[in-house]
Amino acid sequence: MAALHHLVLPHRLLSGHGPPPGLGLVAARDLPRGEVVAEVPKKLWLDADAVAASDLGRVCGSGGDLRPWVSVSLLILREAARGGDSLWAPYLAILPRQTDSTIFWSEEELLEIQGTQLLSTTMGVKEYVQSEFDNVEAEIINANKDLFPGTITFDDFLWAFGVLRSRVFPELRGDKLALIPFADLINHNGDITSKESCWEIKGKGFLGRDTVFSLRTPTEVKSGEQIYVQYDLDKSNAELALDYGFTEANSSRDSYTLTLEISESDPFYEDKLDIAELNGMGETAYFDVVLGESLPPQMITYLRLLCLGGTDAFLLEALFRNKVWEHLELPVSRDNEESICQVIQNACKSALAAYHTTIEEDEELLEREDLQSRQQIAIEVRVGEKKVLEQINDIFKEREQELDDLEYYQERRLKDLGFIGDNGDIIFWES
């Protein structure tokens, strides 16, 4: 069993930070920062190696046939069906059947995030999980009734996916996915802002041959207090809602992803795509705009490329290919700059029109004391997105008012050639 240091584990909580009340880790004595509080040996991890060592190994292939999360999800379902005979029975027995993650919301609850990017992301994730389930249901679950004698539904598979999504430490996702029992009971606290990792995988025992997951306190903890970590400083509220089922009243968590794309119908499509690729970008670019922060680097540069045309199209010629991105980092022409302002303002207005409430209405709702947790998540996500959209719109509206004061490519070029002085006056030479 996992080695637990100075802890009451599990401990049912009546209140907590971030996630709703549930299980967590509580200190049985005062703990300094960096104290090891739990060590979980590799044999208890739920990962690809555990799948291979189980009776699922023969049907899940060598590990390359299925995505790691799919095979580990099947292992969770297989072990849950075994009940008390499973090595992981004590752990599986305490896992919640649902969280407030939006993947578990009803159709009526999802109406509360109408118009948000979170809604489209949630539906996309569920469609992806459904597709994977359809594959394994036919090829593995139904074909191996000795391993899955009971009925395994999509909801069961979605639950296992949700377990992994909400409980796997961020750095242990992807190909090296591993669910660490009991260590994953530790809860999140937004007050912890250190990016320093609070865990490590290390060798232990004779010659360090035994691999363990070691969890440490990121801050000092008093006896009787819950031990917290920071799940991920870089996640937006929408991502927190999707992965864990909670949000934070923190403006740095409010963001909106602008998706910009070079249209295939653009007469200069090939040239623009080539320029984008030469500068580490592609046909589609995603820019995360955070409330209260500056626009992402290269966003305006990419926008200028998208809107380039007319008398400015000469910059797309091969002659300028190695220098054009540098030129686009500064205003090209009044027409081009006006175009990017209008494109973004129109996009923001269209996005804002898709929400069924205003910012003011949402802020009034947040003052109510009878909000259910999922209602609060929905309101905080949608009001955050709308504030960011208004911020973006205001930036480009203000920029549009300054168009006459900007210096454009032709003026900079004439200055470089000595035809215009620094004050903008034309220089004449007397014979």
Side-chain angles (χ1 to χ4, degrees), residues 47-66 70-76 78-79 82 88 139-140 144 146-148:
D47 60 2
D49 290 338
V51 173
S54 73
D55 47 11
L56 273 179
R58 62 180 172 82
V59 299
C60 287
S62 60
D65 298 336
L66 293 177
V70 175
S71 60
V72 176
S73 292
L74 290 173
L75 178 63
I76 291 172
R78 165 64 179 155
E79 294 301 319
R82 293 180 64 195
W88 292 279
E139 298 176 9
I140 295 179
N144 295 275
D146 57 321
L147 300 178
F148 300 100

Side-chain angles (χ1 to χ4, degrees), residues 42 45-49 67-69 72 168-180 199 201:
K42 180 75 164 62
W45 302 2
L46 288 139
D47 60 2
D49 290 338
R67 290 180 174 84
W69 76 262
V72 176
V168 169
F169 287 81
E171 296 87 345
L172 292 178
R173 295 184 174 181
D175 292 338
K176 54 185 178 182
L177 182 140
L179 182 60
I180 313 295
W199 61 270
I201 294 173

Side-chain angles (χ1 to χ4, degrees), residues 17-18 35 154 176 183 207 221 272 288 291 293 298 300 314 320 328 366 399 407:
H17 296 254
E35 179 89 355
F154 169 68
K176 54 185 178 182
L207 298 180
V221 185
K272 290 181 179 182
D288 295 329
L291 187 62
E293 296 186 10
Q298 297 195 319
I300 291 185
F314 71 92
F320 293 92
L328 292 172
L366 286 173
R399 189 173 190 83
E407 182 180 76

Side-chain angles (χ1 to χ4, degrees), residues 13 15-19 23-26 185-192 198 215-221 225-231:
L13 307 166
S15 62
H17 296 254
L23 293 171
L25 306 183
V26 176
L185 294 179
I186 197 162
N187 284 320
H188 166 86
N189 189 329
D191 292 336
I192 297 174
C198 62
L215 182 67
R216 302 185 303 273
T217 52
T219 59
E220 292 183 2
V221 185
E225 291 181 347
Q226 186 177 174
I227 302 167
Y228 292 107
V229 295
Q230 167 63 239
Y231 282 177

Side-chain angles (χ1 to χ4, degrees), residues 32-33 75 90 99 121 127 143 177 260 267 283 293 302 335-336:
R33 178 178 177 275
L75 178 63
T99 68
T121 302
E127 288 172 7
L177 182 140
L260 305 178
E283 180 180 14
E293 296 186 10
Y302 192 87
D335 285 347
N336 181 261

